[in-house]
Amino acid sequence: MAPHEPAASSPVDFALDLTPHETLRRAHMMEALGPDWNPVEVLLGEEAAYDLLYSGLDPEQQQIHDTLVAAGILPARGDHRATP
């Protein structure tokens, strides 16, 4: 074997425990959100924003919206139509 060729080797078990890092990351995230963070309020705000975003669509826009919902690109909402 030439000096520049790698030696044949068998697979090596490799494990990396991300638990301490993930725990620290989550702690920093919760600290950044602060004590006043209300996940229910955030979700309700997102729903209201989507309602506003997809309200008042003309027929062509509604058809495109329906196509995107049918394709699974946009989530189905309520009666599967954009909000009037």
Side-chain angles (χ1 to χ4, degrees):
M1 174 167 63
H4 63 279
E5 292 180 24
S9 62
S10 59
V12 176
D13 285 335
F14 180 77
L16 182 61
D17 183 6
L18 294 176
T19 305
H21 175 75
E22 181 63 13
T23 301
L24 181 61
R25 185 194 69 80
R26 288 182 184 199
H28 286 304
M29 183 189 75
M30 294 306 293
E31 181 181 346
L33 289 170
D36 297 328
W37 180 64
N38 182 338
V40 174
E41 185 178 312
V42 170
L43 291 174
L44 291 174
E46 287 181 6
E47 289 294 317
Y50 280 118
D51 288 344
L52 182 59
L53 178 64
Y54 296 117
S55 66
L57 300 181
D58 65 32
E60 180 182 5
Q61 292 169 328
Q62 184 66 58
Q63 188 274 329
I64 292 169
H65 177 271
D66 293 344
T67 301
L68 293 173
V69 170
I73 296 169
L74 291 176
R77 301 173 50 78
D79 62 359
H80 305 288
R81 303 279 297 168
T83 305

